[in-house]
Amino acid sequence: MNARRWEKLSLSEVAALLGNGDFPWWVAGGHAIELAVGRKFRSHGDLDILILRRDQHLVREVLSGWDLHVADPPGTGELRPWNHEEFLGLPLNGLWCRRSPSTPWSFELMLDEAEGDVWFSRRDSRVHCPIDRVGCVTSDGIPYLTPEVQLFYKAKAHREKDEIDFNAVLPLLDGNQRAWLRGALNLSYPVHPWRDRLEERHE
């Protein structure tokens, strides 16, 4: 089924494509955790990129000529074409992107919330931080979500691959990162098993 066929862009290809736009973006998902860790440690079936909802039409200009579909309703696997002038509000948050209807999917754009200079999680507006603290940048210029923000999004599903990612990056989280993630989990997932592990002593 073409809706499930992937031929991911490389991170450098994504950077070359989205770097032409005047908006922030960040590599998300397991790729973001690997960038934080500094090495590859598992396979990935897709590629997620986070953008701010308010920038969606700026992104569309950069992706002019691409075939873009909305996950609607979210989480069901159903896709529909993104109408040209349509503004995607909540609960819509996923855009699947491919070069043409006959090619595999290249990446998925995840839409998140912002007001002024503050980022808010689309899942829980109580979880927030300054936009300039949402991401980091690799030495070769690839922006990616900070591990604490990405782990917050992974906490909802808590799949085997999420546990692998958590274990890989946990030793690298400093006290501020652990405190932010603990606070976010306390708000949204107060009985989550990661909470206790974030309290463990670290060097």
Side-chain angles (χ1 to χ4, degrees):
M1 180 176 177
N2 197 45
R4 298 301 180 189
R5 273 202 307 137
W6 280 87
E7 190 174 306
K8 300 176 296 180
L9 295 187
S10 69
L11 298 186
S12 60
E13 288 173 325
V14 172
L17 179 65
L18 298 183
N20 293 322
D22 186 21
F23 51 83
W25 62 274
W26 303 271
V27 174
H31 289 283
I33 299 296
E34 287 188 338
L35 290 174
V37 172
R39 61 181 174 85
K40 295 184 180 298
F41 53 84
R42 67 173 179 86
S43 61
H44 303 275
D46 56 11
L47 173 60
D48 296 334
I49 305 294
L50 187 80
I51 64 170
L52 301 178
R53 185 177 303 277
R54 65 190 182 190
D55 294 329
Q56 60 185 270
H57 285 305
L58 295 175
V59 176
R60 179 155 204 157
E61 291 176 7
V62 169
L63 297 178
S64 176
W66 280 63
D67 186 43
L68 307 176
H69 286 242
V70 185
D72 185 13
T76 64
E78 297 295 325
L79 300 176
R80 64 169 176 82
W82 183 21
N83 297 324
H84 186 67
E85 293 300 325
E86 177 186 10
F87 182 85
L88 302 175
L90 286 169
L92 303 178
N93 58 60
L95 277 169
W96 290 48
C97 309
R98 58 187 176 184
R99 295 187 184 278
S100 75
S102 62
T103 59
W105 299 104
S106 297
F107 58 94
E108 184 179 1
L109 292 173
M110 309 303 298
L111 309 180
D112 232 338
E113 315 311 308
E115 183 175 335
D117 295 329
V118 179
W119 161 85
F120 296 87
S121 169
R122 64 184 178 273
R123 291 184 180 162
D124 188 339
S125 62
R126 297 173 298 173
V127 176
H128 58 84
C129 72
I131 291 174
D132 62 9
R133 291 179 54 190
V134 169
C136 302
V137 182
T138 66
S139 59
D140 53 351
I142 306 292
Y144 63 95
L145 288 182
T146 58
E148 64 271 27
V149 171
Q150 184 55 64
L151 288 173
F152 170 73
Y153 276 121
K154 285 179 164 289
K156 179 181 179 181
H158 197 211
R159 301 156 295 190
E160 180 181 359
K161 65 180 181 180
D162 302 321
E163 191 69 22
I164 291 171
D165 290 348
F166 180 80
N167 289 333
V169 79
L170 177 62
L172 305 179
L173 300 182
D174 64 25
N176 290 333
Q177 290 173 307
R178 288 172 180 245
W180 185 91
L181 183 54
R182 282 198 307 270
L185 294 177
N186 286 340
L187 289 171
S188 299
Y189 313 110
V191 296
H192 200 284
W194 289 350
R195 290 174 64 249
D196 291 340
R197 296 192 58 197
L198 289 165
E199 298 281 1
E200 294 172 0
R201 184 177 178 180
H202 64 287
E203 299 299 329

